[in-house]
């Protein structure tokens, strides 16, 4: 069974920083593309950042230059470093994986339960 567990969310003042972590289990992490999405109240879930198996990263325009996605294949964990946070970054942030479970070859998409990030003074 694949599990994605986010941590690191919380309340931060505008201009502050947070680092989100996504710890995985049961997933062939090294062979999985990882991403972070977010969903604000009343809005659709949107892609924030993604990182491929090879380490190539992409970002939504609204976070480019402020957020950094990374991965640690030994720890099987993905990270999202968020700097210069703005009130409009307030949302529930979800970890996403596209890969295969250990012992299986079929590719599936997996989601974490989400972690709340609130940017407010």
């Amino acid at each position: 069974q694949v599990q994605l567990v986010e941590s690191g969310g919380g309340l931060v003042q505008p201009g502050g920083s947070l680092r989100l972590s996504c710890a995985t289990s049961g997933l062939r992490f090294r062979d999985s593309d990882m991403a972070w999405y977010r969903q604000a109240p009343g809005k659709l879930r949107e892609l924030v950042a993604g990182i491929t198996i090879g380490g190539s990263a992409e970002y939504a325009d609204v976070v480019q230059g402020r957020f950094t996605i990374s991965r640690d294949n030994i720890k099987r964990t993905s990270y999202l470093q968020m700097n210069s946070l703005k009130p409009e970054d307030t949302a529930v942030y979800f970890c996403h994986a596209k890969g295969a479970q250990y012992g299986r070859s079929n590719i599936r998409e997996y989601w974490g339960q989400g972690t709340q990030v609130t940017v407010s003074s």
Side-chain angles (χ1 to χ4, degrees):
Q1 183 178 359
V2 174
Q3 288 189 316
L4 280 61
V5 180
E6 301 100 332
S7 61
L11 173 64
V12 62
Q13 292 186 343
S17 298
L18 283 174
R19 188 175 85 150
L20 305 182
S21 299
C22 173
T24 72
S25 61
L27 179 71
R28 289 168 53 182
F29 184 87
R30 190 181 299 272
D31 299 322
S32 300
D33 292 328
M34 302 298 297
W36 287 91
Y37 286 73
R38 69 186 182 187
Q39 187 167 17
K43 295 188 176 181
L44 296 175
R45 191 172 296 189
E46 62 177 0
L47 176 66
V48 175
I51 187 165
T52 67
I53 296 169
S56 297
E58 62 173 358
Y59 300 92
D61 289 343
V62 293
V63 305
Q64 182 76 46
R66 299 189 296 123
F67 290 11
T68 302
I69 189 171
S70 61
R71 61 188 298 154
D72 185 327
N73 288 342
I74 303 298
K75 295 182 178 179
R76 300 174 187 170
T77 300
S78 171
Y79 303 97
L80 185 67
Q81 177 67 44
M82 305 185 294
N83 299 328
S84 302
L85 282 162
K86 305 175 181 180
E88 51 264 44
D89 293 319
T90 296
V92 178
Y93 284 70
F94 296 90
C95 180
H96 175 269
K98 185 175 181 180
Q101 183 177 344
Y102 274 113
R104 301 187 179 183
S105 58
N106 56 311
I107 304 298
R108 289 185 55 186
E109 295 187 61
Y110 302 93
W111 292 93
Q113 81 288 350
T115 185
Q116 177 70 46
V117 172
T118 302
V119 185
S120 175
S121 55

